[in-house]
Structure formats: C-alpha cells, structure tokens
Amino acid sequence: MRIRIVLSATLTALGLMFLIPAAAHAHGDTLKVVVTGQRAGHVTTDITWENDGDAIDENVAATVNAVSVDGTRTMGPWRLVRDPAAAPAGWTTAETLPPGSWKVTVEVGFPALGKGELEVGVPVVDPAPTTGAGTTGASTGGTPAVSAPTPDAASASGSGSGSGSGSGSAAATSADAASPAPAPSGTQAASDADGAAVWWTTAGVAVTALAGAGVGLLLRRRRMRGACRTS
C-alpha cells in the first residue's frame, strides 16, 4: 500500500516537471517589454510573452532605472507592480520621476528575460490655484467703485452745505442767546457767604468799639463834673 502511494507521488511530480517546461515553451523563453511612457511621473510598461503575446500571469522580477538626458541625475533601481489601469499586461512603478527628460530602461529577469527602453518626458505641473483670495474677496465684498460726482450734483451739494451751515450757525447763535446764564456753582455761593459773614463780623467789631469809646467819654465827663463841684 505504501509502495503504491510513493509511486503515485513520484509519477505526479515527474508529470509536473515535464508539464511546466512544456507550458513555458508554449509561450516562449523571452518577454516583450515595451515602455509606454509615464503617468503622473510613474513609469508605465507593457510586458507580454514574445511568441504569443499573452500577458504574464505571475509576478515579474524586474528593475527600472532612469538617467536624465544630460547624464547628471539618476533614479532607481525600482521594481514593477501591476497597473490596474492597464490590465492585464500593464505594469508601473510606485515611485515617480521628477520633471525633466529621462532615458528609462526596464530589465526583466523572471519568468523570462526581456528588456525595454524609452526616452520619457515628465512635464512640470503647476499647482492648482487656491481659492483663498476669491473667498476673501467674496466675503468682504471688495472695495466698491465710487463714481465721480457730476457738476450739477457738486453745485447742489455745495449749495445745500452752505445753506445748511448758515442756518445751523444762526440756530446755534439763537440757542446761545436764548439759553439762560449758568447758575453760580456751589463754590461761588460758599465764597459769597463767607464774605458776608466777614463783613458782618467787621461791622459788629466797629460798632462795639464806637460804643465803648462813647461810654468812656461819658464816664470821663462825669468825673470832670464831679471834680469841679467838689472844688
């Protein structure tokens, strides 16, 4: 029983070994590699079998190198990944080429050998304009244009201004004349009261002095009369 199982496994393995080279030989032993260009800086390539033009079913082992036309810059090596936009034969790079002219070389080593070259130009893409200035202008409304006044409007405005200022001045003068004089402030009233008190005090002192002088004169005269009578 075990011998039969071993023999079956061996025959199966041998059959696969013969079938795989036969399938590969049906496609051929070389690949057709065509560098089609670039998309947003990503190198694009079509890879098919040289004999029948079938697409490659398995992953490919390939390298992508790029050299600027003037030879001052190099990019890569990069690997190829499937390009969903160009299925089933399309392949592309995950990396991007900077703007400029490049000589791109794609070399494939598995599942078969193949090579492709192309000069690719990557244009400079201007950034999209921002809408900040437009939004600001729309939100603020911008600066409205002011039209120059016509001569008639200017004269009418001048007349209106003159008459208005004249009537305003007359009304202000009338209002000033009709308005009563301002009432004295509390400080002024207090100073007037202090002055009146000082005046009354001075007058009282003077009256008292005069009264004292009169009384003194009367007493002196009485003394003189008494002395005369005694003598």
Side-chain angles (χ1 to χ4, degrees):
M1 186 67 179
R2 292 181 179 177
I3 296 175
R4 291 180 181 179
I5 295 174
V6 173
L7 289 175
S8 299
T10 303
L11 291 175
T12 303
L14 290 174
L16 291 174
M17 290 176 62
F18 285 106
L19 288 175
I20 291 175
H25 183 72
H27 289 298
D29 56 356
T30 57
L31 298 175
K32 182 180 180 180
V33 180
V34 179
V35 182
T36 57
Q38 60 85 28
R39 186 188 311 113
H42 300 273
V43 177
T44 56
T45 307
D46 286 345
I47 302 177
T48 56
W49 290 102
E50 182 74 29
N51 289 351
D52 54 15
D54 290 344
I56 307 299
D57 295 331
E58 58 268 41
N59 290 330
V60 298
T63 57
V64 179
N65 292 278
V67 181
S68 61
V69 174
D70 56 6
T72 58
R73 294 181 295 171
T74 59
M75 304 297 292
W78 299 332
R79 66 187 187 90
L80 288 176
V81 295
R82 288 195 179 273
D83 186 2
W91 298 80
T92 186
T93 58
E95 299 81 5
T96 58
L97 289 171
S101 297
W102 301 87
K103 182 180 180 180
V104 179
T105 302
V106 178
E107 294 180 306
V108 183
F110 179 83
L113 299 179
K115 182 179 180 181
E117 292 180 345
L118 181 69
E119 186 173 322
V120 176
V122 181
V124 178
V125 179
D126 295 332
T130 59
T131 58
T135 305
T136 304
S139 60
T140 57
T143 304
V146 180
S147 60
T150 60
D152 295 338
S155 60
S157 175
S159 301
S161 301
S163 60
S165 60
S167 59
S169 300
T173 305
S174 301
D176 293 340
S179 62
S185 61
T187 304
Q188 185 177 358
S191 61
D192 293 343
D194 292 340
V198 171
W199 184 85
W200 282 109
T201 300
T202 304
V205 171
V207 171
T208 302
L210 290 175
V215 172
L217 289 174
L218 289 176
L219 291 176
R220 186 175 181 181
R221 286 179 180 181
R222 287 180 180 180
R223 288 177 182 177
M224 291 177 65
R225 287 177 182 178
C228 290
R229 290 177 181 178
T230 303
S231 60

